[in-house]
């Protein structure tokens, strides 16, 4: 497949085997049985790889299906407001908020506006970006969150660093989310990161699907 062809189509149930060696793409299965092909990204050690999702490059059909799935899983937590993590989490957060019947959502940001407060920011990094940034919340948005049931959403939870930044920023603002949501849980590395903050946090995580850490197997990955 060419790079731009990924994340564009949902395939009927059983289109691709879930086990065995994978070459070129990794198929994931949604709760309704439909399958999505994800490109395999080798890690720097050359022996391991991860399945990749870049949700703002996905077709509207794929984005809609993932937002439908995640919204259904978050509904039981009765969130009053959705908070989105930049940058790719914003695409998913807005769609999930719509499906939960909300009229808006609250985006966090990494671009500081002149009215932002430095004390309402934390360092932020991610697996796909080496440059460290700062994560901000617009102080004018705080009244929307105070005393509300908040859902914190990112596109992918991998190492857990972005989610930790989001949780730390909200907690510094006196806000504790009731649930964390993502389209994909990428391997299990995020669990230790969240448990370091509070052992309860991994139990509050919901996602449309999860993918494992892959390892080299000849010319493919298992």
């Amino acid at each position: 497949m060419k790079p731009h062809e990924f994340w564009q189509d949902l395939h009927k149930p059983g289109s691709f085997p879930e086990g065995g060696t994978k070459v070129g793409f990794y198929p994931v299965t949604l709760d309704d049985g439909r399958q999505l092909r994800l490109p395999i990204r080798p890690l720097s050690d050359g022996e391991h790889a991860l399945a990749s999702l870049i949700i703002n490059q996905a077709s509207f059909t794929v984005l809609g299906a993932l937002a439908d799935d995640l919204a259904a899983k978050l509904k039981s937590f009765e969130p009053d407001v959705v908070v989105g993590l930049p940058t790719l989490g914003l695409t998913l957060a807005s769609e999930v908020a719509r499906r939960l019947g909300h009229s808006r959502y609250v985006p966090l940001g990494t671009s500081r506006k002149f009215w932002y407060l430095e004390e309402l920011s934390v360092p932020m990094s991610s697996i796909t970006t080496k440059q460290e940034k700062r994560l901000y919340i617009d102080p004018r948005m705080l009244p929307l969150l105070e005393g509300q049931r908040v859902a914190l959403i990112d596109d992918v939870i991998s190492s857990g660093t972005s989610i930790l930044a989001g949780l730390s920023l909200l907690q510094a603002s006196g806000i504790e989310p009731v649930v964390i949501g993502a389209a994909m849980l990428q391997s299990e590395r995020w669990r230790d990161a969240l448990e370091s903050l509070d052992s309860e946090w991994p139990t509050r995580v919901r996602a449309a699907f999860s993918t494992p850490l892959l390892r080299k197997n000849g010319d493919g990955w298992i």
Side-chain angles (χ1 to χ4, degrees), residues 10 20 22 35 38 50 60 67 88 94 110 127 138 142 163 174 177 205 217:
L10 288 168
K22 307 302 178 188
Q35 293 183 297
L38 304 178
L50 293 169
F60 295 139
L88 302 186
S94 63
T110 55
I127 190 173
D138 188 330
L142 289 178
I163 284 293
V205 175
N217 181 36

Side-chain angles (χ1 to χ4, degrees), residues 119-133:
E119 58 266 32
L120 293 180
S121 72
V122 296
M124 180 183 184
S125 60
S126 73
I127 190 173
T128 54
T129 305
K130 293 183 178 180
Q131 181 181 5
E132 187 174 278
K133 301 168 285 188

Side-chain angles (χ1 to χ4, degrees), residues 1-57:
M1 295 179 67
K2 297 179 181 178
H4 66 273
E5 295 176 331
F6 283 106
W7 315 301
Q8 303 308 304
D9 301 297
L10 288 168
H11 302 272
K12 65 182 181 180
S15 294
F16 309 104
E18 296 186 33
T21 300
K22 307 302 178 188
V23 178
F25 69 89
Y26 184 89
V28 294
T29 303
L30 304 185
D31 287 353
D32 64 9
R34 289 181 296 173
Q35 293 183 297
L36 176 65
R37 289 184 289 181
L38 304 178
I40 295 173
R41 305 293 192 203
L43 298 180
S44 58
D45 65 4
E47 295 299 319
H48 295 88
L50 293 169
S52 174
L53 173 68
I54 302 182
I55 202 164
N56 68 349
Q57 295 180 7

